[in-house]
C-alpha cells in the first residue's frame, strides 16, 4: 500500500497554493515554508494602458478577464509551471462573494484546465500553522479585519465578525491627517500612502494613546519621506494617530478589540476561555509597528467594561506567534493543508464539469443534513 | 509591421470574440481559424536566465527553485548585481605574500554592496555567497510531518472501518456492545483525535505555545529619531517572501529569477501554434503560425473627418502576406455565413462517435464581448479583388502603374489601395468613437496536407471581421 502511494506521490505534480488578496497575491508550491512570490494583485492591461487591479471589476466578464491575466502572470512569470493537470489550493475568506468564487472556479477549471481545486478558508488555515485545537484568528487584511473562532477544525460561523478596519482604513486616515497637517489636499497615491504607513507610522501604547488629546503632550518626532515627486514631511500627529481609527469606539461597538470580544461572546461558553488564551493576530495589516501590543492592552482593558464585564471579565488573553511572517500566514496554512493529504480533498475537474457547482456554507443544498425533513426537497 | 506603439486602429475579431490587432493574433492552419492569446493554451517550454542567457533543464530549475545559480539581483532596487574585485590587504602584516584578490557584489544602479550588510568578501568570483536560511523551516517541517501523519492515520482508520464491515460478529455480546460506548468512540463522537495514535510523530507533536506577553514598543519610541533609509520598503520585503526583512541591514542578495520560453497550442486541435528555439539567445521560432503571415492585412492610409449623416472617403491598403495568390471580397459583417456548421465532415462525425473530439466546454464559459456599436456603415464594392503573392524581390522592381479605377487607387505587387465611402448615421453622437466594421472573404491555400497520403493543396474560403477605429465623430 505504502509503496503504491509513494509512486502516486511522484506522479502527482506538486500542487500550487493561491492566496489572492486584495492588495497582494501570494503564490507558491505546497509543502514549502514560504510562497515563491508575493506580488501586487494587479497586471498590465494593454487595452486600457494601465496597471489594473484584479478586484477592479464591474461584471463577471471583466472579472474573468482580470483573473485570466493575473493567473497568467503568476504561472508564467513567477512560478514558471504549466497550470494544466496540476492541483490548486485556493485560500479564501469565508466571506468571499459568490460571484468571485464561481468566476475563479471557472477560470481555473475551464481556462487553465487544472486537475483539481481545494477550497480552504483562511481562518482554518491560519490555525493549522499553530497546531492548536482552539484558536481565535484575527486577520487584518487590506480592506477588512475578520475575527473567526476556529474550534476543533471548524470555524464558528455565527460568531464571525468583520469590519472595514484593514490597512486601507489606516491609509485613508493617514491621507486625511496629512491633508490636515499641510492644509491642502495632497492627493497622494496609494503607493505613497502605503510606503508612509509601512515605514513611518506606528501604533502608540495604550498609556500614550490616552494622553494624545491632552494639552501639553509632546508630539512624536516628524520624519521626511522621499516620494516619487517630492519630499513630504510626515508630522508626528499623522505618524501615531493614523492607526487610531482601528481603536476608535462608538455606540456601534465596531472597533477592532470590540470585534474580537464580540466574537468570543457569541461562541459556545465552554470554548471562550480557550479562545482568549489562543489568539493569533495575522494578516498584512497586523505587521504595523506596535499594533499587536496595543490590541492586547485594549482587549485587557475592554473586558473589564460593560457589556463584556458580566460574561467575559475573567478571561486571560494570550497570543501566538505563527511560524512565518504576518502577511503569509494563511498561505503557509494552505501549503500545509495541500501537502498533508496529497490533494484528496480537492474538487476534481470532472466532478466540477458535470455539475458546475461549488460547495459553499451559505448554500442550503450543501449544509442540510440528510436526516433533515427538507433534504428530499433540496435534492430534486 | 503594423503599428507597434500607436493605438491599434485596425482590430480583428478573433474566433473567441476578442478584439486584437493583427500582430497579437495567431492563425491555426489545422482549424483554419484565427486565435488569440486569450483562447489558446500556453505552455512552459524551457527555462533560462535572462541575465547570463544560460539554459537550465526544467528538473534542475525545479531543484533550484527557479533561480539562477550565478546571477544575483540587488535586494534594494532589484537591478542585477555585478561582481567586483579588490585586493585584500593581509591584516597579519604582509610577509612577502602577494595581496589576494577578493570579490564582493555591487549594484551599479543604487550603489548597494554586499559589504553594506556585512557579507564577507569571497575568494572566488563565481560564488560561495552565504544563503540566508528561513528560520521557520524546522517548525514548518514539524507541522508538515504532523499533518501528514494525521492524514495517514485518517486513511488507515477509514480502511479499517471498511474491513470491519465484513468481520462476522462473535457469538457473545461484550460490554462495549451492550453500552455501545468505548473511550475511542466517545472521542470519535466529540471529533477529537483518537488517543491511541500509533505514530510517534503525532504523540510527540507540541502545538504552538501562546504567551501573554506581546512585544511592546519602548515608552519613548515616539521621541526616537528614525532613519527611514534603514527601514525597508514593502517591495523590498515582498521580494524575499521567506524573511520579509524590515531592516535594510537584513537584506541579502537574491539569486535572479529565471524566465521561460513559452510555446502556444491551439485548444481545439492541440497543434502547436508557436514553438520557440531552445537557445535562449535566439529570438526565432521553430513553429510560428502568426496571423500576420496568413491573414490579409488591412491598414488605414487616410480618411476624411466623420460627421453625423455625412459621407466621407476612406483609403485602405490591403496586402497579401502568403506565397499564393489571394482573392479578397469585402462583405458587410452580418453577411458572413455561420462558420460553425461547415466543417462537419464525415471525419468529424466519426471522431465524435468515437468520443475523440476535444472537450471544448471552455469555449462556452468564455465571455464573448459584443463588438462596439458602429457609427455607420462602409459602402463596399461588390467585386472580387485579386492580390498577387508576396514577393520580396518585387519591392525593387519598377512596376508600371496597374489598373486604376474608381475603387482601386493603386496596385503594387501584393499590395492594393482601395478608395471606399463611409456613410455615418445621422444619429451618431458628436464626440463618440467612430467605429466602422466590415468583413473580408479571402481565399486561402493550405500547404499543410491533411494527412500523409494526400499531397495536393487544399483551397479554402475564409472570413474575418475587422473593426476600424476612425477617431471621434466630429461636428
Amino acid at each position: 500500500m505504502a509503496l503504491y502511494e509513494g509512486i502516486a506521490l511522484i506522479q502527482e505534480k506538486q500542487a500550487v497554493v493561491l492566496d489572492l488578496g486584495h492588495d497582494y497575491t501570494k503564490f507558491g508550491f505546497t509543502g514549502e515554508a514560504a510562497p515563491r512570490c508575493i506580488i501586487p494583485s494587479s497586471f498590465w492591461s494593454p487595452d486600457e494602458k494601465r496597471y489594473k487591479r484584479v478586484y477592479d471589476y464591474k461584471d463577471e466578464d471583466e472579472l474573468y478577464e482580470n483573473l485570466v491575466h493575473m493567473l497568467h502572470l503568476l504561472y508564467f512569470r513567477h512560478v514558471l509551471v504549466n497550470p494544466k493537470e496540476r492541483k490548486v489550493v485556493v485560500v479564501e475568506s469565508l466571506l468571499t462573494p459568490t460571484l468571485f468564487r464561481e468566476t475563479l472556479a471557472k477560470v481555473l477549471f475551464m481556462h487553465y484546465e487544472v486537475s483539481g481545486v481545494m477550497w480552504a478558508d483562511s481562518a482554518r488555515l491560519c490555525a493549522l500553522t499553530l497546531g492548536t485545537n482552539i484558536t481565535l484568528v484575527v486577520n487584518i487584511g487590506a480592506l477588512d479585519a475578520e475575527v473567526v473562532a476556529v474550534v476543533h477544525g471548524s470555524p464558528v460561523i455565527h460568531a464571525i465578525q468583520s469590519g472595514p478596519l484593514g490597512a486601507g482604513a489606516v491609509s485613508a486616515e493617514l491621507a486625511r491627517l496629512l491633508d490636515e497637517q499641510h492644509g491642502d489636499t495632497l492627493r497622494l497615491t496609494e503607493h505613497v500612502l502605503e510606503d508612509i504607513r509601512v515605514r513611518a507610522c506606528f501604533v502608540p501604547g495604550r498609556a500614550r494613546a490616552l494622553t494624545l488629546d491632552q494639552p501639553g503632550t509632546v508630539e512624536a518626532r516628524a520624519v521626511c519621506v522621499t516620494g516619487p515627486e517630492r519630499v513630504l514631511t510626515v508630522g508626528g500627529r499623522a505618524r501615531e494617530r493614523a492607526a487610531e481609527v482601528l481603536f476608535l469606539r462608538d455606540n456601534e461597538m465596531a472597533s477592532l478589540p470590540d470585534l474580537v470580544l464580540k466574537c468570543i461572546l457569541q461562541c459556545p461558553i465552554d470554548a471562550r476561555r480557550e479562545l482568549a488564551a489562543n489568539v493569533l493576530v495575522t494578516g498584512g495589516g497586523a505587521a504595523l509597528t506596535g499594533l499587536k501590543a496595543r490590541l492586547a492592552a485594549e482587549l485587557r482593558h475592554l473586558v473589564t467594561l460593560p457589556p463584556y464585564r458580566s460574561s467575559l471579565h475573567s478571561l486571560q488573553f494570550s497570543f501566538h506567534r505563527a511560524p512565518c511572517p504576518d502577511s503569509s500566514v494563511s498561505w503557509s496554512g494552505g501549503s500545509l493543508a495541500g501537502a498533508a493529504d496529497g490533494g484528496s480533498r480537492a474538487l476534481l475537474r470532472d466532478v466540477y464539469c458535470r455539475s458546475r457547482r461549488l460547495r459553499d456554507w451559505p448554500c442550503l443544498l450543501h449544509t442540510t443534513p440528510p436526516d433533515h425533513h427538507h433534504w428530499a426537497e433540496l435534492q430534486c | 509591421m503594423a503599428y507597434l506603439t500607436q493605438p491599434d486602429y485596425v482590430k480583428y475579431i478573433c474566433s473567441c470574440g476578442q478584439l486584437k490587432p493583427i500582430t497579437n493574433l495567431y492563425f491555426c492552419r489545422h482549424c483554419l481559424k484565427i486565435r488569440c492569446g486569450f483562447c489558446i493554451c500556453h505552455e512552459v517550454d524551457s527555462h533560462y536566465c535572462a541575465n547570463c542567457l544560460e539554459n537550465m533543464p526544467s528538473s534542475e530549475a525545479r531543484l533550484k527553485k527557479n533561480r539562477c545559480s550565478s546571477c544575483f539581483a540587488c535586494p534594494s532596487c532589484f537591478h542585477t548585481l555585478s561582481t567586483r574585485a579588490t585586493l585584500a590587504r593581509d591584516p597579519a602584516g604582509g610577509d612577502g605574500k602577494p595581496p589576494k584578490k577578493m570579490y564582493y557584489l555591487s549594484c551599479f544602479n543604487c550603489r548597494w554592496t554586499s559589504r553594506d550588510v556585512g557579507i564577507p568578501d569571497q575568494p572566488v568570483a563565481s560564488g560561495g555567497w552565504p544563503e540566508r536560511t528561513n528560520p521557520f523551516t524546522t517548525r514548518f517541517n514539524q507541522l508538515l510531518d504532523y499533518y501528514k501523519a494525521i492524514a495517514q492515520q485518517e486513511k488507515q482508520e477509514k480502511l479499517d472501518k471498511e474491513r470491519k464491515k465484513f468481520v462476522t460478529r462473535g457469538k457473545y455480546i461484550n460490554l462495549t456492545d451492550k453500552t455501545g460506548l468505548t473511550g475511542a468512540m466517545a472521542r470519535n463522537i466529540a471529533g477529537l483525535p483518537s488517543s491511541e495514535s500509533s505514530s510517534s510523530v503525532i504523540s510527540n507533536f507540541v502545538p504552538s505555545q501562546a504567551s501573554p506577553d506581546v512585544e511592546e514598543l519602548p515608552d519613548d519610541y515616539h521621541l526616537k529619531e528614525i532613519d527611514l533609509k534603514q527601514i525597508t520598503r514593502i517591495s523590498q520585503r515582498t521580494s524575499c517572501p521567506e524573511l520579509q526583512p524590515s531592516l535594510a541591514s537584513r537584506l541579502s542578495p537574491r539569486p535572479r529569477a529565471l524566465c521561460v520560453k513559452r510555446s502556444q497550442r491551439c485548444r481545439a486541435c492541440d497543434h502547436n501554434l508557436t514553438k520557440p528555439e531552445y537557445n535562449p539567445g535566439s529570438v526565432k521560432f521553430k513553429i510560428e503560425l502568426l496571423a500576420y503571415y496568413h491573414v490579409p492585412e488591412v491598414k488605414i492610409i487616410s480618411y476624411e473627418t466623420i460627421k453625423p449623416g455625412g459621407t466621407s472617403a476612406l483609403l485602405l491598403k490591403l496586402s497579401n502576406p502568403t506565397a499564393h495568390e489571394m482573392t479578397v471580397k469585402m462583405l458587410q459583417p452580418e453577411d458572413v455565413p455561420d462558420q460553425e456548421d461547415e466543417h462537419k465532415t464525415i471525419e468529424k462525425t466519426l471522431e465524435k462517435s468515437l468520443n475523440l473530439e476535444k472537450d471544448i466546454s471552455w469555449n462556452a464559459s468564455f465571455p464573448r464581448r459584443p463588438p462596439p456599436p458602429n457609427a455607420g456603415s462602409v459602402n463596399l464594392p461588390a467585386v472580387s479583388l485579386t492580390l498577387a503573392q508576396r514577393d520580396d524581390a518585387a519591392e525593387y522592381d519598377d512596376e508600371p502603374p496597374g489598373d486604376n479605377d474608381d475603387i482601386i487607387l493603386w496596385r503594387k505587387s501584393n499590395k492594393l489601395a482601395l478608395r471606399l465611402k463611409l456613410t455615418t448615421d445621422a444619429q451618431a453622437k458628436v464626440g463618440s468613437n467612430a467605429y466602422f466594421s466590415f468583413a473580408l472573404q479571402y481565399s486561402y491555400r493550405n500547404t499543410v496536407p491533411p494527412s500523409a497520403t494526400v499531397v495536393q493543396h487544399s483551397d479554402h474560403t475564409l472570413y474575418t471581421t475587422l473593426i476600424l477605429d476612425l477617431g471621434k465623430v466630429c461636428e
Side-chain angles (χ1 to χ4, degrees):
Chain A
M1 193 67 208
L3 175 72
Y4 289 121
E5 264 173 17
I7 289 169
L9 279 179
I10 295 165
Q11 283 173 337
E12 176 82 35
K13 286 180 188 165
Q14 200 177 6
V16 287
V17 185
L18 169 68
D19 182 357
L20 208 57
H22 186 271
D23 276 4
Y24 286 91
T25 295
K26 282 74 75 179
F27 197 61
F29 290 106
T30 54
E32 289 184 2
R36 285 288 175 89
C37 66
I38 302 180
I39 54 166
S41 304
S42 55
F43 58 92
W44 175 255
S45 164
D47 291 343
E48 297 174 35
K49 302 268 185 289
R50 66 179 175 109
Y51 278 97
K52 197 173 172 190
R53 302 175 74 122
V54 175
Y55 285 82
D56 190 3
Y57 62 91
K58 287 192 280 300
D59 52 8
E60 191 189 338
D61 289 354
E62 196 174 354
L63 176 62
Y64 186 99
E65 279 182 31
N66 288 357
L67 287 171
V68 167
H69 284 120
M70 187 71 207
L71 286 170
H72 186 90
L73 186 74
L74 288 168
Y75 273 115
F76 295 107
R77 292 261 175 254
H78 291 280
V79 170
L80 314 181
V81 287
N82 282 333
K84 228 174 170 179
E85 310 301 325
R86 191 183 283 277
K87 282 188 176 136
V88 185
V89 179
V90 174
V91 181
E92 53 166 10
S93 158
L94 280 170
L95 305 177
T96 309
T98 309
L99 175 75
F100 190 86
R101 289 186 90 213
E102 306 241 308
T103 314
L104 182 58
K106 218 195 273 179
V107 170
L108 285 171
F109 281 121
M110 294 308 182
H111 200 106
Y112 286 105
E113 302 180 33
V114 301
S115 58
V117 180
M118 178 172 156
W119 304 88
D121 60 284
S122 63
R124 261 191 290 186
L125 296 179
C126 288
L128 273 189
T129 59
L130 303 179
T132 49
N133 284 330
I134 297 181
T135 323
L136 185 71
V137 180
V138 182
N139 199 338
I140 306 173
L143 285 187
D144 292 334
E146 242 178 70
V147 186
V148 185
V150 181
V151 179
H152 288 293
S154 53
V156 184
I157 299 260
H158 61 84
I160 292 178
Q161 301 291 322
S162 165
L165 298 173
V170 181
S171 280
E173 176 70 4
L174 178 67
R176 194 189 67 78
L177 287 165
L178 284 174
D179 287 355
E180 201 178 276
Q181 179 200 335
H182 290 263
D184 182 21
T185 43
L186 297 168
R187 285 182 227 291
L188 298 171
T189 60
E190 250 170 81
H191 288 290
V192 177
L193 284 172
E194 182 186 48
D195 189 42
I196 298 173
R197 190 188 77 222
V198 167
R199 293 203 294 162
C201 286
F202 67 97
V203 189
R206 188 175 146 72
R208 173 156 173 86
L210 288 175
T211 62
L212 275 182
D213 283 328
Q214 287 169 11
T217 311
V218 186
E219 272 208 357
R221 212 177 252 270
V223 290
C224 288
V225 178
T226 317
E229 282 154 22
R230 56 168 152 182
V231 178
L232 193 72
T233 313
V234 179
R237 216 178 131 75
R239 275 184 66 205
E240 58 184 342
R241 279 176 192 237
E244 285 304 300
V245 69
L246 304 182
F247 301 98
L248 205 63
R249 293 196 76 204
D250 54 13
N251 287 335
E252 296 214 352
M253 300 204 297
S255 73
L256 189 58
D258 273 309
L259 290 183
V260 177
L261 290 181
K262 275 200 279 186
C263 178
I264 297 180
L265 202 59
Q266 289 174 18
C267 277
I269 196 161
D270 41 3
R272 288 184 196 163
R273 181 169 298 274
E274 280 285 289
L275 283 172
N278 291 289
V279 182
L280 174 67
V281 186
T282 72
L288 198 59
T289 320
L291 185 117
K292 288 178 186 167
R294 176 71 184 282
L295 181 62
E298 291 284 342
L299 282 174
R300 283 173 187 145
H301 167 70
L302 214 58
V303 85
T304 62
L305 299 180
Y308 309 113
R309 191 172 54 190
S310 53
S311 40
L312 300 179
H313 64 98
S314 62
L315 290 186
Q316 298 295 317
F317 289 95
S318 295
F319 296 84
H320 281 285
R321 293 174 73 96
C324 41
D326 278 327
S327 59
S328 57
V329 175
S330 42
W331 185 92
S332 298
S335 164
L336 284 171
D341 68 349
S344 59
R345 270 157 225 253
L347 170 68
L348 296 179
R349 181 161 191 262
D350 45 345
V351 177
Y352 174 81
C353 285
R354 246 179 279 137
S355 63
R356 293 287 172 94
R357 196 171 265 287
L358 291 182
R359 289 181 70 90
D360 205 0
W361 61 266
C363 181
L364 283 179
L365 257 179
H366 304 125
T367 50
T368 313
D371 51 349
H372 193 273
H373 59 278
H374 278 157
W375 196 73
E377 289 166 39
L378 286 169
Q379 294 308 302
C380 50
Chain B
M1 291 295 275
Y3 319 96
L4 265 184
T5 54
Q6 290 161 347
D8 310 310
Y9 297 115
V10 181
K11 285 188 181 171
Y12 289 65
I13 298 183
C14 170
S15 56
C16 71
Q18 292 257 324
L19 298 180
K20 294 267 166 83
I22 193 169
T23 44
N24 289 9
L25 290 170
Y26 305 87
F27 180 81
C28 180
R29 275 203 290 195
H30 308 273
C31 317
L32 299 170
K33 289 224 171 106
I34 293 179
R35 307 272 180 215
C36 69
F38 204 75
C39 59
I40 53 176
C41 187
H42 298 257
E43 280 166 16
V44 173
D45 206 61
S46 60
H47 295 76
Y48 68 98
C49 171
N51 187 47
C52 59
L53 291 180
E54 199 72 41
N55 244 324
M56 200 183 264
S58 60
S59 54
E60 196 187 340
R62 196 167 59 222
L63 222 72
K64 294 202 166 140
K65 298 198 161 188
N66 289 338
R67 301 212 164 251
C68 180
S69 43
S70 50
C71 305
F72 289 89
C74 173
S76 180
C77 70
F78 318 123
H79 190 76
T80 311
L81 290 174
S82 320
T83 313
R84 307 209 73 191
T86 51
L87 290 177
R89 307 235 180 283
D90 207 344
D95 41 347
K97 271 191 207 163
K100 234 167 93 187
K101 246 189 178 176
M102 296 296 266
Y103 298 91
Y104 65 98
L105 294 172
S106 158
C107 174
F108 286 175
N109 184 34
C110 71
R111 299 278 154 195
W112 183 90
T113 64
S114 59
R115 291 169 164 184
D116 291 355
V117 291
I119 297 174
D121 291 1
Q122 298 294 322
V124 280
S126 58
W129 299 104
E131 274 180 46
R132 288 249 163 92
T133 48
N134 188 345
F136 302 115
T137 311
T138 21
R139 175 66 184 162
F140 189 85
N141 287 337
Q142 275 173 16
L143 285 163
L144 196 57
D145 290 342
Y146 173 59
Y147 290 121
K148 272 187 178 159
I150 287 186
Q152 185 69 35
Q153 190 179 310
E154 265 180 14
K155 216 179 249 173
Q156 197 60 46
E157 274 171 10
K158 219 180 195 175
L159 277 178
D160 286 349
K161 224 183 227 171
E162 263 167 33
R163 213 170 289 156
K164 256 181 201 164
K165 273 181 192 165
F166 304 108
V167 175
T168 47
R169 280 272 175 109
K171 229 177 182 179
Y172 307 105
I173 291 173
N174 58 17
L175 191 67
T176 325
D177 287 350
K178 219 172 178 179
T179 58
L181 205 66
T182 60
M185 279 169 77
R187 284 185 151 272
N188 208 6
I189 289 165
L192 298 169
S194 54
S195 59
E196 66 262 43
S197 57
S198 47
S199 159
S200 63
V201 181
I202 298 180
S203 48
N204 290 343
F205 177 75
V206 190
S208 164
Q209 296 300 317
S211 90
D213 312 314
V214 189
E215 205 182 319
E216 295 224 19
L217 293 181
D219 283 340
D220 58 344
Y221 185 82
H222 59 286
L223 296 176
K224 274 190 191 157
E225 193 163 352
I226 56 165
D227 184 5
L228 286 189
K229 288 191 186 93
Q230 288 307 314
I231 302 178
T232 51
R233 260 176 270 118
I234 199 142
S235 54
Q236 293 167 345
R237 292 182 198 186
T238 53
S239 72
C240 179
E242 298 92 21
L243 302 166
Q244 302 192 15
S246 56
L247 291 176
S249 56
R250 299 283 301 155
L251 292 173
S252 60
R254 285 280 279 173
R256 258 189 80 107
L258 297 179
C259 296
V260 283
K261 287 195 165 197
R262 278 174 296 142
S263 62
Q264 268 99 359
R265 202 178 276 282
C266 173
R267 288 205 200 209
C269 64
D270 266 346
H271 283 94
N272 265 116
L273 291 174
T274 65
K275 196 166 178 57
E277 277 185 6
Y278 186 65
N279 175 15
S282 161
V283 292
K284 287 180 185 153
F285 291 88
K286 281 189 227 157
I287 303 172
E288 191 179 25
L289 296 179
L290 307 181
Y292 187 69
Y293 297 128
H294 296 276
V295 178
E297 193 197 350
V298 174
K299 276 187 181 179
I300 301 169
I301 300 175
S302 70
Y303 59 90
E304 287 176 358
T305 47
I306 313 294
K307 289 173 185 168
T311 54
S312 21
L314 168 71
L315 302 184
L316 286 185
K317 186 168 89 177
L318 266 68
S319 46
N320 170 15
T322 62
H324 306 279
E325 211 174 71
M326 186 180 263
T327 325
V328 176
K329 198 178 169 194
M330 297 170 98
L331 304 169
Q332 294 298 344
E334 48 286 2
D335 296 340
V336 175
D338 203 356
Q339 287 160 303
E340 300 302 323
D341 306 329
E342 63 185 39
H343 291 295
K344 286 234 167 101
T345 53
I346 303 164
E347 222 173 293
K348 266 276 158 70
T349 37
L350 186 75
E351 232 175 53
K352 206 172 195 173
S353 63
L354 289 170
N355 213 359
L356 284 172
E357 203 177 33
K358 273 278 294 175
D359 174 29
I360 49 159
S361 48
W362 57 270
N363 217 344
S365 65
F366 249 54
R368 285 188 78 97
R369 292 231 172 142
N374 288 337
S377 59
V378 189
N379 300 357
L380 300 169
V383 289
S384 293
L385 308 157
T386 312
L387 286 172
Q389 68 268 32
R390 180 201 169 103
D391 182 8
D392 289 335
E395 302 262 323
Y396 307 104
D397 294 348
D398 279 335
E399 216 176 323
D403 49 343
N404 291 0
D405 51 32
D406 34 337
I407 302 161
I408 298 171
L409 198 66
W410 50 258
R411 189 192 275 277
K412 199 174 176 188
S413 78
N414 64 336
K415 296 182 198 69
L416 182 72
L418 288 176
R419 184 188 286 125
L420 298 171
K421 274 260 175 308
L422 298 168
T423 316
T424 316
D425 288 345
Q427 296 95 311
K429 246 195 223 152
V430 175
S432 64
N433 288 325
Y435 288 122
F436 290 86
S437 68
F438 65 91
L440 278 182
Q441 179 196 52
Y442 59 97
S443 64
Y444 176 74
R445 172 162 291 184
N446 196 0
T447 47
V448 179
S451 64
T453 48
V454 188
V455 200
Q456 89 266 26
H457 308 311
S458 49
D459 288 311
H460 302 274
T461 309
L462 303 175
Y463 299 88
T464 179
T465 311
L466 294 94
I467 292 188
L468 309 176
D469 179 1
L470 301 181
K472 305 268 185 209
V473 179
C474 306
E475 279 199 65

